[in-house]
Amino acid sequence: KIRGLGIPIESKFETRRSRQDAAVFLGVKDDLFTVLLTSGGAGIGRTGEIARELLSLETPPQILAVCGNNRGLFEELTRLGGAGSQLKVFGFVKNMEILMDASDLVIGKSGGLTLTESLSKKKPMVILRPVPGQETRNADCARRYRAGLVASSVKEAVALVRDAMMHHSMFKDLNEGVSRMARPNAARDIAAWVLSP
């Protein structure tokens, strides 16, 4: 009587718009390796430090940094970005699905919804210091499927992003793992099962 059908998410995460369309909508480039930095609604974590370290790489990625309601972080990263920077800063957003469509990789915590939404959008994650308990188990599961990478420090997270950018086979392996683990139609599958005769 128990079936593992996945975590239900909003329907907007079921479909994918093209990378080019998402980039145009956000006002960013569509031809650069792009990292989405998430920090939750409160904007807590090491987002500022990660952004600085990524920008210091010899070949930095384009960065989409979501600061949530953390005004101090938003102002800090806005100063860090500046004209011509590959850092685009956002406050609290309601269009995370478009930010994911424009990205190659997501950095964040391994909460159930964040991980499920990233997988549904076919985006591998770099999971930074998962909280013991459910987040740790989620991170272990993503690592087992090769759908995500787990880092214990900012330095390690940045090194993993650099490796994913430089090694095509590694990034391809991550994307294949995401496809194996993703359950984008979980809500529909659950409803169909419940309503089935």
Side-chain angles (χ1 to χ4, degrees):
K1 293 184 178 182
I2 297 174
R3 296 190 185 184
L5 298 175
I7 297 175
I9 53 175
E10 291 184 77
S11 59
K12 64 185 181 180
F13 288 97
E14 289 181 16
T15 57
R16 297 169 67 193
R17 68 174 67 199
S18 73
R19 171 76 173 271
Q20 185 175 26
D21 285 349
V24 168
F25 181 86
L26 297 170
V28 299
K29 296 180 180 178
D30 65 354
D31 58 347
L32 295 175
F33 190 95
T34 301
V35 175
L36 173 59
L37 288 181
T38 64
S39 56
I44 58 176
R46 312 292 288 279
T47 305
E49 189 178 347
I50 296 170
R52 285 191 296 274
E53 292 293 327
L54 287 173
L55 288 173
S56 71
L57 290 174
E58 185 175 342
T59 305
Q62 179 169 246
I63 304 166
L64 310 180
V66 181
C67 302
N69 292 314
N70 189 332
R71 189 67 195 174
L73 177 62
F74 180 86
E75 292 172 356
E76 174 193 345
L77 291 183
T78 299
R79 289 192 299 271
L80 179 64
S85 171
Q86 290 183 187
L87 171 62
K88 178 85 169 179
V89 186
F90 301 86
F92 186 88
V93 300
K94 294 185 177 180
N95 59 349
M96 186 63 77
E97 76 283 3
I98 301 176
L99 291 163
M100 288 183 174
D101 283 331
S103 303
D104 296 291
L105 195 65
V106 178
I107 300 180
K109 292 287 190 181
S110 51
L113 281 178
T114 299
L115 183 57
T116 301
E117 289 166 355
S118 296
L119 291 170
S120 294
K121 282 294 188 177
K122 302 292 190 287
K123 306 300 176 180
M125 283 193 74
V126 172
I127 299 163
L128 177 61
R129 298 175 67 183
V131 175
Q134 187 62 49
E135 282 193 17
T136 303
R137 292 190 288 274
N138 291 344
D140 289 343
C141 187
R143 183 163 39 194
R144 195 162 57 246
Y145 273 85
R146 294 185 182 177
L149 304 166
V150 183
S152 59
S153 67
V154 169
K155 188 173 182 179
E156 184 181 1
V158 171
L160 290 171
V161 172
R162 183 193 60 217
D163 290 346
M165 290 172 58
M166 292 176 59
H167 303 293
H168 178 73
S169 60
M170 174 185 172
F171 190 62
K172 182 173 180 284
D173 189 46
L174 282 171
N175 280 292
E176 289 173 354
V178 166
S179 294
R180 286 191 298 270
M181 190 176 177
R183 297 289 182 271
N185 301 314
R188 297 177 192 278
D189 293 342
I190 291 167
W193 179 44
V194 169
L195 297 173
S196 63

